Amino acid sequence: MLTFDVRICSIEVRPDRRKPFRVRWSLGGKKHSKSYGLKAQADGRRSELMAALRKGEQFDTEEALPVSEQRTLLTTVTWYEHARDYARMKWPRAAAKHRASIADALATVTPSLITAGMRGYPKPRVLRAALYAWAFRMVRPEDGELVPRMEVEAPPSEIAHALAWITKHSLPITEAAKPEHLRKALGAISVTLAGKTAAENTTRRKRMILNNAFMYAIERDHLEANPLKRVDWQAPPTDDEVDFRYVPKPSPRQGSTHGGTSTRRPRRTS
């Protein structure tokens, strides 16, 4: 929803915070804010908002951005950025177990949706830990807004490196939606961390979360249709599935039993 009801406030200084300079604005009476570590950063952001207001731009109430910035966002948002937004949207209403499932599924597919041929790929276990425990885990700081853990706590250096790497090399969501990339993501959810074929219910659960993430992309105007519906893909069979074509039939010589008693008719004697 777009609005002209925009009010830009002065910068608030909170000396006790890690990012003490907070830019504040309201749209249709709803307050928004963003904090910065340096005053120059906060001044620059406030100037950008003021410039849009002076031009007579409308602001998008959902993204809390000027229309010009919203258009740019729609063309440049990456899969990784969208996945974080999806996790943050689902977090408040999800039970603890479902939150873990969401983080698990997103941490599984995100490393497969990257630009090919990039050097400096983090160790897989480090990248997974960075995504699962820092990017897709939401926390609620003192101001009350859910944010990824990495925005509140300082991660270890190898985790920070992995997060910076995936931020730089994640595919734009429109590129990630192409079949050749989707097949990589679907392949990732069909194997375990040990490289073995995942259980059918695990693959199904992760695919459902991937599907829901793409549906949210449609809702946010990042995509026009759900790309998964165009991909003809089935999870590989697992060892614990029973193929009834190969279950041996009872031997004709083996009499059927009922209640532990043979049902064969006794032989007549003369």
Side-chain angles (χ1 to χ4, degrees):
M1 183 177 179
L2 302 179
T3 183
F4 285 110
D5 185 6
V6 182
R7 181 170 176 263
I8 311 295
C9 305
S10 60
I11 295 174
E12 180 183 11
V13 181
R14 301 179 297 173
D16 58 328
R17 302 298 177 88
R18 187 168 65 91
K19 295 181 177 181
F21 303 99
R22 183 161 72 167
V23 179
R24 301 172 299 152
W25 68 102
S26 64
L27 306 177
K30 184 178 180 180
K31 296 180 179 180
H32 300 275
S33 65
K34 187 170 178 62
S35 298
Y36 296 88
L38 301 176
K39 187 175 186 300
Q41 295 173 323
D43 285 335
R45 181 56 182 151
R46 186 176 185 275
S47 296
E48 291 173 347
L49 296 175
M50 289 297 299
L53 183 62
R54 293 191 187 100
K55 292 178 182 177
E57 283 191 37
Q58 290 180 299
F59 279 58
D60 183 279
T61 56
E62 183 177 352
E63 299 292 343
L65 296 174
V67 168
S68 58
E69 292 186 17
Q70 173 69 358
R71 291 183 186 132
T72 302
L73 178 66
L74 292 177
T75 60
T76 60
V77 65
T78 65
W79 163 259
Y80 171 57
E81 292 168 335
H82 172 70
R84 289 204 323 260
D85 290 340
Y86 171 73
R88 181 165 47 196
M89 180 273 293
K90 296 291 289 186
W91 209 259
R93 295 177 295 278
K97 186 175 181 180
H98 188 45
R99 289 175 177 177
S101 292
I102 292 171
D104 180 28
L106 296 177
T108 299
V109 302
T110 298
S112 64
L113 298 175
I114 58 173
T115 306
M118 289 298 175
R119 296 182 178 179
Y121 191 97
K123 294 179 180 178
R125 63 171 182 81
V126 175
L127 181 56
R128 176 176 171 79
L131 294 170
Y132 180 83
W134 293 86
F136 301 137
R137 177 184 171 189
M138 301 298 139
V139 296
R140 194 183 298 276
E142 293 180 5
D143 59 12
E145 295 183 6
L146 281 171
V147 294
R149 180 187 176 194
M150 65 183 191
E151 294 185 12
V152 176
E153 303 176 36
S157 58
E158 62 177 2
I159 296 292
H161 169 73
L163 293 171
W165 190 92
I166 198 70
T167 298
K168 183 177 181 180
H169 298 303
S170 180
L171 288 171
I173 191 169
T174 51
E175 189 72 17
K178 294 182 178 180
E180 59 268 29
H181 299 302
L182 287 181
R183 289 190 178 277
K184 294 179 182 178
L186 292 169
I189 66 174
S190 66
V191 295
T192 66
L193 294 176
K196 297 182 179 180
T197 302
E200 181 182 3
N201 63 328
T202 299
T203 301
R204 186 186 304 114
R205 170 176 54 81
K206 291 182 179 181
R207 178 170 179 150
M208 179 184 69
I209 292 171
L210 179 61
N211 179 78
N212 290 344
F214 278 122
M215 292 301 295
Y216 187 55
I218 298 172
E219 180 182 329
R220 301 192 68 195
D221 293 328
H222 297 325
L223 297 172
E224 294 183 358
N226 189 336
L228 281 178
K229 294 182 178 181
R230 298 182 298 158
V231 179
D232 183 15
W233 182 87
Q234 291 184 344
T238 58
D239 294 338
D240 58 352
E241 293 176 349
V242 177
D243 190 338
F244 290 98
R245 294 175 298 173
Y246 301 104
V247 175
K249 297 180 180 179
S251 171
R253 297 180 181 179
Q254 182 181 1
S256 60
T257 59
H258 180 71
T261 304
S262 175
T263 60
R264 289 185 294 176
R265 185 175 300 175
R267 181 180 299 179
R268 259 186 180 180
T269 58
S270 54

Coordinates of all heavy atoms in Angstrom, one line a residue, residues 167-229:
T167 N 26.3 -13.4 1.4 CA 25.7 -12.1 1.0 C 26.1 -11.6 -0.4 O 25.3 -11.2 -1.2 CB 26.0 -11.0 2.1 OG1 25.5 -11.5 3.3 CG2 25.4 -9.7 1.7
K168 N 27.4 -11.8 -0.7 CA 28.0 -11.3 -1.9 C 27.6 -12.2 -3.1 O 27.4 -11.7 -4.2 CB 29.5 -11.2 -1.8 CG 30.2 -10.6 -3.0 CD 31.7 -10.4 -2.7 CE 32.4 -9.8 -4.0 NZ 33.8 -9.7 -3.7
H169 N 27.5 -13.5 -2.9 CA 27.4 -14.5 -4.0 C 26.1 -15.1 -4.1 O 25.9 -16.0 -5.0 CB 28.5 -15.6 -3.8 CG 29.9 -15.0 -3.8 ND1 30.4 -14.3 -4.9 CD2 30.9 -15.1 -2.9 CE1 31.6 -13.9 -4.6 NE2 32.0 -14.4 -3.4
S170 N 25.1 -14.8 -3.3 CA 23.8 -15.4 -3.5 C 23.1 -14.9 -4.8 O 23.3 -13.7 -5.1 CB 22.9 -14.9 -2.3 OG 21.6 -15.5 -2.4
L171 N 22.4 -15.7 -5.4 CA 21.8 -15.4 -6.7 C 20.6 -14.4 -6.5 O 19.9 -14.5 -5.5 CB 21.2 -16.6 -7.4 CG 22.2 -17.6 -8.0 CD1 21.5 -18.9 -8.4 CD2 22.9 -17.0 -9.2
P172 N 20.4 -13.5 -7.4 CA 19.1 -12.7 -7.4 C 17.9 -13.7 -7.4 O 18.0 -14.8 -8.0 CB 19.1 -11.9 -8.7 CG 20.6 -11.8 -9.0 CD 21.2 -13.1 -8.6
I173 N 16.9 -13.4 -6.7 CA 15.8 -14.4 -6.6 C 15.2 -14.7 -8.0 O 14.7 -15.9 -8.2 CB 14.7 -13.9 -5.6 CG1 13.7 -15.0 -5.3 CG2 14.0 -12.6 -6.2 CD1 12.8 -14.7 -4.2
T174 N 15.2 -13.8 -8.9 CA 14.7 -14.1 -10.2 C 15.5 -15.1 -10.9 O 15.1 -15.9 -11.7 CB 14.5 -12.8 -11.1 OG1 15.8 -12.1 -11.0 CG2 13.4 -11.9 -10.5
E175 N 16.8 -15.1 -10.6 CA 17.8 -16.1 -11.2 C 17.6 -17.4 -10.5 O 17.7 -18.5 -11.1 CB 19.2 -15.6 -11.1 CG 20.2 -16.4 -11.9 CD 20.1 -16.2 -13.4 OE1 19.5 -15.3 -13.9 OE2 20.7 -17.1 -14.1
A176 N 17.5 -17.4 -9.2 CA 17.3 -18.6 -8.4 C 16.1 -19.4 -8.8 O 16.0 -20.6 -8.6 CB 17.3 -18.2 -6.9
A177 N 15.1 -18.7 -9.3 CA 13.8 -19.3 -9.7 C 13.9 -20.1 -11.0 O 12.9 -20.7 -11.4 CB 12.7 -18.2 -9.8
K178 N 15.0 -20.0 -11.7 CA 15.2 -20.7 -13.0 C 15.3 -22.2 -12.7 O 15.9 -22.6 -11.7 CB 16.3 -20.2 -13.8 CG 16.1 -18.7 -14.3 CD 17.3 -18.2 -15.1 CE 17.1 -16.8 -15.6 NZ 18.2 -16.3 -16.4
P179 N 14.8 -23.1 -13.6 CA 14.8 -24.5 -13.4 C 16.2 -25.1 -13.1 O 16.3 -26.0 -12.3 CB 14.2 -25.1 -14.7 CG 13.4 -24.0 -15.2 CD 14.1 -22.7 -14.9
E180 N 17.2 -24.6 -13.8 CA 18.6 -25.2 -13.6 C 19.1 -25.0 -12.2 O 19.8 -25.8 -11.6 CB 19.6 -24.7 -14.6 CG 19.8 -23.2 -14.6 CD 18.9 -22.4 -15.5 OE1 17.7 -22.9 -15.8 OE2 19.3 -21.3 -16.0
H181 N 18.7 -23.9 -11.5 CA 19.0 -23.6 -10.2 C 18.1 -24.3 -9.2 O 18.5 -24.8 -8.1 CB 19.1 -22.1 -9.9 CG 20.1 -21.4 -10.8 ND1 21.4 -21.7 -10.8 CD2 19.9 -20.4 -11.7 CE1 22.0 -20.9 -11.6 NE2 21.1 -20.1 -12.2
L182 N 16.8 -24.4 -9.5 CA 15.9 -25.0 -8.6 C 16.2 -26.5 -8.5 O 16.1 -27.1 -7.4 CB 14.5 -24.9 -9.2 CG 13.8 -23.5 -9.1 CD1 12.4 -23.5 -9.6 CD2 13.8 -23.1 -7.6
R183 N 16.7 -27.1 -9.6 CA 17.1 -28.6 -9.5 C 18.2 -28.8 -8.5 O 18.3 -29.8 -7.8 CB 17.4 -29.1 -10.9 CG 16.2 -29.2 -11.8 CD 16.5 -30.0 -13.0 NE 15.2 -30.1 -13.8 CZ 14.3 -31.1 -13.6 NH1 14.5 -32.0 -12.7 NH2 13.3 -31.1 -14.3
K184 N 19.1 -27.8 -8.4 CA 20.2 -27.9 -7.4 C 19.7 -27.8 -6.0 O 20.1 -28.5 -5.1 CB 21.2 -26.8 -7.7 CG 22.0 -26.9 -9.0 CD 23.0 -25.8 -9.2 CE 23.7 -25.9 -10.5 NZ 24.7 -24.7 -10.7
A185 N 18.7 -26.9 -5.8 CA 18.1 -26.7 -4.5 C 17.3 -28.0 -4.1 O 17.4 -28.5 -3.0 CB 17.2 -25.5 -4.5
L186 N 16.6 -28.5 -5.1 CA 15.8 -29.8 -4.8 C 16.7 -30.9 -4.5 O 16.4 -31.8 -3.7 CB 14.9 -30.0 -6.0 CG 13.7 -29.0 -6.1 CD1 13.0 -29.3 -7.5 CD2 12.7 -29.2 -5.0
G187 N 17.8 -31.0 -5.3 CA 18.8 -32.0 -5.0 C 19.4 -31.9 -3.6 O 19.7 -32.9 -2.9
A188 N 19.6 -30.7 -3.1 CA 20.2 -30.5 -1.8 C 19.3 -31.0 -0.7 O 19.7 -31.5 0.3 CB 20.5 -29.0 -1.6
I189 N 18.0 -30.8 -0.9 CA 17.0 -31.2 0.2 C 16.8 -32.7 0.2 O 16.2 -33.2 1.1 CB 15.7 -30.5 0.1 CG1 14.9 -30.9 -1.2 CG2 15.9 -29.0 0.2 CD1 13.5 -30.3 -1.3
S190 N 17.3 -33.4 -0.8 CA 17.1 -34.9 -0.9 C 18.2 -35.7 -0.4 O 18.2 -36.9 -0.4 CB 16.8 -35.3 -2.3 OG 17.9 -35.1 -3.2
V191 N 19.2 -35.0 0.2 CA 20.4 -35.8 0.8 C 20.6 -35.3 2.2 O 20.3 -34.1 2.6 CB 21.6 -35.6 0.0 CG1 21.5 -36.2 -1.4 CG2 22.0 -34.1 -0.2
T192 N 21.2 -36.1 3.0 CA 21.5 -35.8 4.4 C 22.9 -35.0 4.4 O 23.6 -34.9 3.4 CB 21.6 -37.0 5.3 OG1 22.7 -37.8 4.8 CG2 20.3 -37.8 5.2
L193 N 23.3 -34.6 5.6 CA 24.6 -33.9 5.8 C 25.7 -34.9 5.5 O 26.8 -34.5 5.1 CB 24.7 -33.3 7.2 CG 23.7 -32.2 7.5 CD1 23.9 -31.8 9.0 CD2 23.9 -31.0 6.6
A194 N 25.4 -36.2 5.6 CA 26.5 -37.2 5.4 C 26.5 -37.6 3.9 O 27.3 -38.4 3.5 CB 26.2 -38.4 6.2
G195 N 25.6 -37.0 3.1 CA 25.6 -37.3 1.7 C 24.7 -38.5 1.3 O 24.7 -38.9 0.1
K196 N 24.0 -39.1 2.2 CA 23.1 -40.2 1.9 C 21.7 -39.7 1.6 O 21.4 -38.5 1.8 CB 23.0 -41.1 3.1 CG 24.3 -41.8 3.5 CD 24.1 -42.7 4.7 CE 25.5 -43.4 5.1 NZ 25.3 -44.3 6.2
T197 N 20.9 -40.5 0.9 CA 19.6 -40.1 0.5 C 18.7 -39.9 1.8 O 18.7 -40.7 2.7 CB 18.9 -41.2 -0.3 OG1 19.7 -41.5 -1.4 CG2 17.5 -40.8 -0.7
A198 N 18.1 -38.7 1.8 CA 17.3 -38.3 3.0 C 16.0 -39.1 3.0 O 15.5 -39.6 2.0 CB 17.0 -36.8 2.9
A199 N 15.4 -39.2 4.2 CA 14.1 -39.9 4.4 C 13.1 -39.1 3.6 O 13.2 -37.9 3.5 CB 13.8 -40.0 5.8
E200 N 12.1 -39.8 3.2 CA 11.0 -39.2 2.3 C 10.3 -38.0 3.1 O 10.1 -37.0 2.5 CB 10.0 -40.2 1.9 CG 8.9 -39.7 1.0 CD 7.9 -40.7 0.6 OE1 8.0 -41.9 1.1 OE2 6.9 -40.4 -0.1
N201 N 10.0 -38.2 4.4 CA 9.3 -37.2 5.1 C 10.2 -35.9 5.3 O 9.7 -34.8 5.3 CB 8.8 -37.7 6.4 CG 10.0 -38.1 7.3 OD1 11.0 -38.6 6.9 ND2 9.8 -38.0 8.6
T202 N 11.5 -36.1 5.4 CA 12.4 -35.0 5.5 C 12.5 -34.2 4.2 O 12.4 -32.9 4.2 CB 13.9 -35.5 5.8 OG1 13.9 -36.2 7.1 CG2 14.8 -34.3 5.9
T203 N 12.6 -34.9 3.1 CA 12.5 -34.2 1.8 C 11.2 -33.5 1.6 O 11.2 -32.3 1.1 CB 12.8 -35.2 0.6 OG1 14.0 -35.8 0.9 CG2 12.8 -34.5 -0.7
R204 N 10.1 -34.1 1.9 CA 8.8 -33.5 1.7 C 8.7 -32.2 2.6 O 8.2 -31.2 2.1 CB 7.7 -34.5 2.1 CG 6.3 -34.0 1.8 CD 5.2 -34.9 2.3 NE 5.4 -36.3 1.7 CZ 5.7 -37.3 2.5 NH1 5.9 -37.2 3.8 NH2 5.8 -38.5 1.9
R205 N 9.1 -32.3 3.8 CA 9.0 -31.2 4.7 C 9.8 -30.0 4.2 O 9.4 -28.8 4.2 CB 9.5 -31.6 6.1 CG 9.7 -30.4 7.1 CD 10.1 -30.9 8.5 NE 11.3 -31.7 8.4 CZ 12.5 -31.3 8.4 NH1 12.8 -30.0 8.3 NH2 13.5 -32.1 8.4
K206 N 11.1 -30.2 3.8 CA 11.9 -29.1 3.3 C 11.4 -28.5 2.0 O 11.4 -27.3 1.7 CB 13.3 -29.6 3.1 CG 14.1 -29.9 4.4 CD 15.5 -30.3 4.2 CE 16.2 -30.6 5.5 NZ 17.6 -31.0 5.3
R207 N 10.8 -29.4 1.1 CA 10.2 -28.9 -0.1 C 9.0 -28.0 0.2 O 8.8 -27.0 -0.5 CB 9.8 -30.1 -1.0 CG 9.2 -29.5 -2.3 CD 9.0 -30.6 -3.4 NE 8.3 -30.0 -4.5 CZ 8.5 -30.5 -5.8 NH1 9.3 -31.5 -6.0 NH2 7.8 -29.9 -6.8
M208 N 8.2 -28.4 1.2 CA 7.1 -27.5 1.5 C 7.5 -26.2 2.0 O 6.9 -25.1 1.6 CB 6.3 -28.2 2.6 CG 5.1 -27.4 3.1 SD 4.2 -28.2 4.5 CE 5.5 -28.0 5.8
I209 N 8.6 -26.1 2.8 CA 9.1 -24.8 3.2 C 9.7 -24.0 2.0 O 9.4 -22.8 1.9 CB 10.2 -25.0 4.3 CG1 9.5 -25.6 5.6 CG2 10.9 -23.7 4.6 CD1 10.5 -26.0 6.6
L210 N 10.4 -24.7 1.1 CA 10.9 -24.0 -0.1 C 9.7 -23.4 -0.9 O 9.7 -22.3 -1.4 CB 11.7 -24.9 -0.9 CG 12.3 -24.4 -2.2 CD1 13.2 -23.2 -1.9 CD2 13.0 -25.5 -3.0
N211 N 8.7 -24.2 -1.1 CA 7.5 -23.8 -1.8 C 6.8 -22.6 -1.1 O 6.5 -21.6 -1.8 CB 6.5 -24.9 -1.9 CG 5.2 -24.6 -2.6 OD1 5.2 -24.5 -3.8 ND2 4.2 -24.3 -1.8
N212 N 6.7 -22.6 0.2 CA 6.1 -21.5 0.9 C 7.0 -20.2 0.8 O 6.4 -19.1 0.7 CB 5.9 -21.9 2.4 CG 4.8 -22.9 2.6 OD1 4.0 -23.2 1.7 ND2 4.8 -23.6 3.7
A213 N 8.3 -20.4 0.8 CA 9.2 -19.2 0.6 C 8.9 -18.6 -0.8 O 8.9 -17.3 -0.9 CB 10.6 -19.7 0.8
F214 N 8.7 -19.4 -1.8 CA 8.5 -18.8 -3.1 C 7.1 -18.2 -3.2 O 6.9 -17.2 -3.9 CB 8.6 -19.9 -4.2 CG 10.0 -20.1 -4.6 CD1 10.6 -21.4 -4.5 CD2 10.8 -19.1 -5.1 CE1 11.9 -21.6 -4.9 CE2 12.1 -19.3 -5.5 CZ 12.7 -20.6 -5.4
M215 N 6.1 -18.8 -2.5 CA 4.8 -18.1 -2.4 C 4.9 -16.7 -1.7 O 4.2 -15.8 -2.1 CB 3.8 -19.0 -1.6 CG 3.5 -20.3 -2.3 SD 2.7 -20.1 -4.0 CE 1.2 -19.3 -3.5
Y216 N 5.8 -16.6 -0.7 CA 6.0 -15.3 -0.1 C 6.6 -14.4 -1.0 O 6.4 -13.2 -1.0 CB 6.8 -15.5 1.2 CG 6.9 -14.3 2.0 CD1 5.8 -13.6 2.5 CD2 8.2 -13.8 2.4 CE1 5.9 -12.5 3.3 CE2 8.3 -12.7 3.2 CZ 7.2 -12.0 3.6 OH 7.3 -10.9 4.4
A217 N 7.5 -14.9 -1.9 CA 8.1 -14.0 -2.9 C 7.1 -13.4 -3.9 O 7.2 -12.3 -4.3 CB 9.2 -14.8 -3.7
I218 N 6.1 -14.2 -4.2 CA 5.0 -13.7 -5.0 C 4.2 -12.6 -4.3 O 3.9 -11.5 -4.8 CB 4.0 -14.8 -5.4 CG1 4.7 -15.9 -6.2 CG2 2.8 -14.3 -6.2 CD1 3.9 -17.1 -6.5
E219 N 3.9 -12.9 -3.0 CA 3.2 -11.9 -2.2 C 4.0 -10.6 -2.1 O 3.3 -9.5 -2.1 CB 3.1 -12.5 -0.8 CG 2.3 -11.6 0.2 CD 2.2 -12.2 1.6 OE1 2.2 -13.4 1.7 OE2 2.2 -11.4 2.6
R220 N 5.3 -10.6 -2.1 CA 6.1 -9.4 -2.0 C 6.5 -8.8 -3.4 O 7.3 -7.9 -3.5 CB 7.3 -9.7 -1.2 CG 7.0 -10.2 0.2 CD 8.3 -10.1 1.1 NE 8.7 -8.8 1.4 CZ 9.9 -8.5 1.9 NH1 10.8 -9.4 2.1 NH2 10.2 -7.2 2.1
D221 N 5.9 -9.4 -4.4 CA 6.1 -8.9 -5.8 C 7.6 -9.1 -6.3 O 8.0 -8.4 -7.2 CB 5.8 -7.4 -5.9 CG 4.3 -7.1 -5.8 OD1 3.5 -8.0 -6.1 OD2 4.0 -6.1 -5.2
H222 N 8.3 -10.1 -5.7 CA 9.6 -10.4 -6.2 C 9.5 -11.4 -7.4 O 10.3 -11.4 -8.3 CB 10.4 -11.1 -5.1 CG 10.7 -10.3 -3.9 ND1 10.9 -8.9 -4.0 CD2 10.8 -10.6 -2.6 CE1 11.2 -8.4 -2.8 NE2 11.1 -9.4 -2.0
L223 N 8.4 -12.2 -7.4 CA 8.1 -13.1 -8.5 C 6.7 -13.0 -8.9 O 5.8 -12.6 -8.1 CB 8.5 -14.5 -8.1 CG 9.9 -14.9 -7.7 CD1 10.0 -16.3 -7.2 CD2 10.8 -14.7 -8.9
E224 N 6.4 -13.4 -10.2 CA 5.0 -13.4 -10.6 C 4.3 -14.7 -10.5 O 3.1 -14.8 -10.4 CB 5.0 -13.0 -12.1 CG 5.4 -11.5 -12.4 CD 5.3 -11.2 -13.8 OE1 4.9 -12.0 -14.6 OE2 5.6 -10.0 -14.1
A225 N 5.1 -15.8 -10.4 CA 4.5 -17.2 -10.2 C 5.4 -18.0 -9.5 O 6.6 -17.7 -9.3 CB 4.2 -17.8 -11.6
N226 N 4.9 -19.1 -8.9 CA 5.7 -20.1 -8.2 C 6.5 -20.9 -9.1 O 6.0 -21.8 -9.9 CB 4.8 -21.0 -7.3 CG 5.7 -21.8 -6.3 OD1 6.8 -22.1 -6.6 ND2 5.0 -22.2 -5.3
P227 N 7.9 -20.8 -9.2 CA 8.7 -21.5 -10.2 C 8.7 -23.0 -9.9 O 9.0 -23.8 -10.9 CB 10.1 -20.9 -10.0 CG 10.1 -20.4 -8.6 CD 8.7 -20.0 -8.3
L228 N 8.5 -23.5 -8.7 CA 8.5 -24.9 -8.4 C 7.5 -25.7 -9.2 O 7.7 -26.9 -9.5 CB 8.3 -25.2 -6.9 CG 9.5 -25.0 -6.0 CD1 9.1 -25.2 -4.6 CD2 10.7 -25.8 -6.4
K229 N 6.4 -25.1 -9.6 CA 5.3 -25.8 -10.3 C 5.8 -26.1 -11.8 O 5.1 -26.9 -12.4 CB 4.1 -24.9 -10.3 CG 3.5 -24.8 -8.9 CD 2.2 -24.0 -9.0 CE 1.6 -23.8 -7.6 NZ 0.3 -23.1 -7.6

